[in-house]
Amino acid sequence: MGKVRGMLRRLLAAPRGTDPILRGIRHGSRAFCGPEELYIDLTNRCTLRCISCWHRSPLLRPDEVLPHWDGAHELPFERVRALIDEAASMGVRKIIYSGGGDPLLHRDIVRILEHTSARGLEVLLMTNLTAATGEMVRRIAGGMLSQLCVNLWAGSPAVYAATHPGATEETFAKVVDLMRLFAGARHAPAEPELIIAYVISALNYEDIGNAVRLAAEIGVNNIWWQTTDVESANLRGLLLTGEQIQAVVRTMEETRKEHAPVLGEHQGNIVIFDDVLSKLRNSRAAEGIYHSDVIDTIPCYIGWAACRVLANGNVVPCCKADRNPLGNIFEERFSRIWFSRRYDGFRERALRLPKSDRYFARIACARICDNWCLNTSIHRRYAGYLNDPAARRGPGRRAG
């Protein structure tokens, strides 16, 4: 932590600017604008039982599914609209609809997407796409979204069925057809951006090459490669062995060499494996621990950068902090929670304490940090402020 303390001293000594996030970090606990990104779990209902899902996997015992993941939880439209309006007024840049279920199952999803877009916010929709129709796909491709991320976890029908128990190879074909439709209906090759989410496990690690070929053929712009996050001993059989990890590393290196020179102008990110390779090269990756080597090498800025609202209304400070709610939007306004002393307490601890501190025990930051990419991007942004006089003047953010 000595290196991190040095970073913080230099950051706190930096000249004051107009960037409200930097101002908050320099303060050490307070926020002076809303988060850059706000995750909203619209509903916990879902059409699939993905094999490594924390609360839908058929491998889990019923008593392992925590109450806030109950399928009955759903945010009503009026509450979501008020939250969107509040977020826009606070300077939030991007809304991410994902969470404990599939957002497309929310009865008012189209109205929600329309209102979010009308408020000038970027929109990322994460879905398995199984509940979509052709008409809906054409409609959302026409301008409601900035990004569509489809949870696929496979590059072939058989592997899709294996990683989504209860789904069929026909389900895979339907999803792929809808992705093709989306790619063709958008007004530019990357507007909106089409992304595949691929969670690597012992069941699908040999299908990586097929996924890349499929993505290239459809017109996908990016694949977000992720490692399986095991929260239950019953899911440990999905972890890659050391030998399988080495096989994945070789596959990714070979796949990048094969495809990078021939991918289209807007498809190069399909074979950018750097983030997932860094996790797989962690010294404890075979145990399902992916960030223990790096988690304390930079400060945690997530208390200023992101926030998540669960389908039961709980406000949690990062994607993995679902057991650490700091308030509930059915009890008080989101802004009141965000600017509260209890949220300030999280920011200060996250910024200054090692993640081995017992405060973070239920978040398990070292196992896997779902916000690591965002946190490192924030760190790079403000490292520049310390070294580049031009950068210190700063790109101001909307504050209201």
Side-chain angles (χ1 to χ4, degrees):
M1 286 296 290
K3 181 180 177 182
V4 172
R5 293 191 192 98
M7 292 176 188
L8 288 173
R9 282 195 296 271
R10 291 192 296 275
L11 188 61
L12 296 176
R16 295 187 181 275
T18 58
D19 184 324
I21 286 188
L22 178 59
R23 184 183 170 200
I25 295 168
R26 292 190 71 255
H27 180 277
S29 63
R30 284 187 59 191
F32 296 94
C33 64
E36 283 205 349
E37 299 182 355
L38 178 60
Y39 292 76
I40 302 178
D41 296 11
L42 293 176
T43 180
N44 281 346
R45 291 188 293 136
C46 195
T47 56
L48 296 179
R49 302 186 70 196
C50 303
I51 195 67
S52 61
C53 180
W54 308 330
H55 41 281
R56 291 283 186 278
S57 173
L59 301 177
L60 296 174
R61 300 190 315 269
D63 64 313
E64 292 183 285
V65 180
L66 298 174
H68 53 267
W69 298 129
D70 189 290
H73 291 307
E74 183 167 296
L75 297 175
F77 172 72
E78 294 301 329
R79 191 67 208 95
V80 176
R81 183 172 63 180
L83 179 58
I84 294 166
D85 291 342
E86 199 171 5
S89 70
M90 293 167 65
V92 171
R93 175 179 62 84
K94 183 176 186 177
I95 301 288
I96 300 169
Y97 293 115
S98 60
D102 194 299
L104 291 185
L105 292 178
H106 194 287
R107 69 196 71 189
D108 294 303
I109 183 60
V110 172
R111 294 171 69 196
I112 289 169
L113 295 176
E114 287 176 337
H115 188 70
T116 311
S117 178
R119 290 306 310 259
L121 298 165
E122 295 179 30
V123 181
L124 164 58
L125 176 66
M126 303 188 71
T127 171
N128 61 43
L129 214 56
T130 60
T133 63
E135 179 184 357
M136 176 183 287
V137 165
R138 290 188 191 92
R139 194 168 178 183
I140 63 176
M144 293 184 195
L145 306 180
S146 308
Q147 297 168 305
L148 174 69
C149 180
V150 180
N151 291 299
L152 199 64
W153 300 15
S156 61
V159 174
Y160 182 87
T163 54
H164 301 83
T168 65
E169 296 187 7
E170 288 72 25
T171 309
F172 177 80
K174 174 191 174 181
V175 171
V176 169
D177 285 345
L178 288 170
M179 291 173 66
R180 283 198 183 95
L181 179 62
F182 181 89
R186 54 191 175 173
H187 53 82
E191 298 178 16
E193 188 179 8
L194 178 58
I195 302 162
I196 287 175
Y198 195 110
V199 178
I200 304 169
S201 73
L203 296 180
N204 67 0
Y205 75 97
E206 294 179 308
D207 214 30
I208 289 171
N210 288 331
V212 169
R213 285 186 283 274
L214 177 67
E217 183 263 317
I218 290 174
V220 169
N221 305 109
N222 202 342
I223 300 180
W224 288 345
W225 304 98
Q226 302 173 47
T227 48
T228 296
D229 181 14
V230 172
E231 291 202 349
S232 163
N234 290 319
L235 301 180
R236 294 197 65 80
L238 300 173
L239 291 176
L240 299 176
T241 65
E243 185 175 318
Q244 290 170 337
I245 288 173
Q246 293 308 310
V248 169
V249 172
R250 288 193 299 271
T251 296
M252 289 183 168
E253 291 171 346
E254 293 166 1
T255 301
R256 178 156 44 195
K257 289 178 183 177
E258 176 186 353
H259 291 275
V262 297
L263 285 171
E265 179 184 357
H266 301 285
Q267 294 191 292
N269 286 335
I270 289 173
V271 291
I272 298 298
F273 301 112
D274 299 22
D275 178 58
V276 71
L277 285 174
S278 70
K279 295 176 186 176
L280 293 174
R281 288 170 174 148
N282 193 77
S283 61
R284 300 181 65 186
E287 303 171 53
I289 299 173
Y290 304 107
H291 280 125
S292 58
D293 296 347
V294 298
I295 196 67
D296 284 325
T297 60
I298 62 174
C300 177
Y301 310 104
I302 212 65
W304 291 272
C307 184
R308 182 178 182 183
V309 179
L310 304 184
N312 69 345
N314 280 355
V315 175
V316 300
C318 67
C319 287
K320 298 296 294 179
D322 58 282
R323 301 182 190 190
N324 291 56
L326 297 175
N328 188 289
I329 62 169
F330 290 112
E331 298 170 3
E332 52 187 334
R333 291 172 62 87
F334 173 71
S335 57
R336 187 180 180 90
I337 298 167
W338 175 256
F339 293 115
S340 67
R341 285 190 175 183
R342 56 187 178 277
Y343 217 121
D344 290 350
F346 169 82
R347 293 188 188 96
E348 183 172 13
R349 291 179 175 91
L351 186 68
R352 298 181 181 276
L353 294 179
K355 301 309 170 285
S356 56
D357 188 273
R358 63 181 182 179
Y359 179 81
F360 303 101
R362 295 198 298 177
I363 302 176
C365 308
R367 188 180 70 217
I368 187 169
C369 173
D370 281 352
N371 297 109
W372 180 253
C373 287
L374 176 60
N375 196 57
T376 54
S377 71
I378 296 290
H379 183 70
R380 286 192 298 269
R381 180 194 305 174
Y382 296 127
Y385 273 66
L386 301 180
N387 300 312
D388 181 356
R392 287 176 187 156
R393 288 194 291 272
R397 277 189 71 225
R398 290 194 317 260

